[in-house]
Amino acid sequence: MYNQLQFTSSEELIKQYAPLVKRIAHHLMARLPSTVVLDDLVQSGMIGLLEAAAKYDPSKGASFETYAGIRIRGSIIDEVRRGDWTPRSVHRNGRRVSEAIQQVEARTGRDASDAEVAKEMGVSIDEYHSLLKDSVDSRLFSLDELLNPDDDYPGEQVAAAGEGPNTRVEEQAFVSALVKEIDNLPEREKLVLALYYDEELNLKEIGQVLGVSESRVSQIHSQAALRLRSRLGEWR
């Protein structure tokens, strides 16, 4: 496996890509409680790096660094989930928001606004924004999260089905659907996701780019994640 990547050992691979693992771990650490230990995230990320080296296929077109970044992030998220500290009420409220977004958009045929979703849920706009804050503070959102098996996320049936050819076809179809729905997000939500996941800016830096508070960026980020979940409900 290392010959494809011009590495002779796992030690050489880790030495070259350790900075990538640490950068991703620090990036995710900013969204986690202080009880989470950075070294644990880095260790999980290293496991993801080794898995990436074992499974990387250059014929698929993606660079190794891009592919490894996805596997590293996924491995870290798995580690966080194993010690899930999120109250069940937060998961329930996240589902409520997704369902309300889906109902509004099915009825109106356009993107649901904050006010419309709050009204659908029967809460004030301030209460709705508080629910969004709880959601973004309590969970990581990424492509890996959407693909991993969990009863709170779309795509769990695809991921749980196994590693056979049919599963890979379904997973590719899901990824295509996800990319399409990200492109269909309201411009501000799409921009926040691009700045956070592609440019790796933190929430404060994104707020400076957009001219809004860090708290507002959190709300936009969370609403984008929940909107995607509502639109990808057919994959549940």
Side-chain angles (χ1 to χ4, degrees):
M1 65 179 175
Y2 297 113
N3 289 339
Q4 286 183 330
L5 302 171
Q6 299 180 340
F7 295 114
T8 59
S9 67
S10 58
E11 288 78 15
E12 186 179 343
L13 173 77
I14 289 173
K15 182 177 180 180
Q16 178 161 339
Y17 285 97
L20 174 64
V21 174
K22 291 177 181 177
R23 185 169 73 246
I24 292 173
H26 277 282
H27 184 58
L28 296 178
M29 185 75 180
R31 304 261 322 276
L32 296 169
S34 57
T35 52
V36 175
V37 179
L38 178 62
D39 286 348
D40 290 343
L41 302 188
V42 171
Q43 184 176 7
S44 297
M46 290 298 182
I47 293 172
L49 173 62
L50 293 173
E51 290 174 347
K55 297 182 178 181
Y56 176 60
D57 182 353
S59 69
K60 299 298 184 183
S63 70
F64 177 70
E65 184 165 344
T66 298
Y67 178 73
I70 293 171
R71 301 289 306 197
I72 292 165
R73 185 185 293 272
S75 184
I76 292 174
I77 289 171
D78 285 345
E79 175 64 25
V80 172
R81 282 178 163 178
R82 278 192 285 272
D84 187 14
W85 45 272
T86 307
R88 289 186 176 274
S89 61
V90 172
H91 288 305
R92 284 197 300 271
N93 287 332
R95 284 194 293 271
R96 285 179 60 211
V97 172
S98 289
E99 289 165 2
I101 290 172
Q102 187 176 37
Q103 290 162 2
V104 171
E105 293 187 345
R107 189 166 61 245
T108 64
R110 55 173 171 73
D111 296 333
S113 68
D114 291 24
E116 288 172 326
V117 179
K119 183 178 179 181
E120 186 75 20
M121 296 179 68
V123 300
S124 69
I125 193 69
D126 287 341
E127 288 175 297
Y128 175 62
H129 285 161
S130 179
L131 292 176
L132 290 180
K133 182 179 184 301
D134 287 344
S135 179
V136 80
D137 283 348
S138 71
R139 51 189 265 170
L140 297 165
F141 168 71
S142 74
L143 174 61
D144 305 273
E145 181 180 81
L146 288 169
L147 289 172
N148 279 339
D150 186 294
D151 62 4
D152 267 334
Y153 306 100
E156 74 270 8
Q157 292 179 358
V158 172
E163 294 293 335
N166 290 338
T167 300
R168 286 193 291 272
V169 170
E170 290 175 354
E171 184 173 305
Q172 289 170 0
F174 172 71
V175 171
S176 295
L178 175 61
V179 170
K180 178 182 177 182
E181 292 303 340
I182 289 175
D183 194 51
N184 288 335
L185 286 173
E187 286 302 319
R188 179 161 284 200
E189 292 178 18
K190 184 163 57 176
L191 179 57
V192 166
L193 294 188
L195 292 173
Y196 189 82
Y197 294 105
D198 296 339
E199 302 301 325
E200 295 193 347
L201 300 185
N202 61 37
L203 301 183
K204 182 177 181 180
E205 291 168 336
I206 295 172
Q208 292 171 346
V209 171
L210 299 183
V212 299
S213 67
E214 184 175 347
S215 161
R216 181 55 182 153
V217 175
S218 293
Q219 292 167 6
I220 296 169
H221 178 282
S222 184
Q223 184 158 281
L226 295 171
R227 194 188 301 275
L228 284 172
R229 193 172 79 173
S230 74
R231 294 179 179 181
L232 292 165
E234 65 189 82
W235 292 93
R236 296 182 73 77

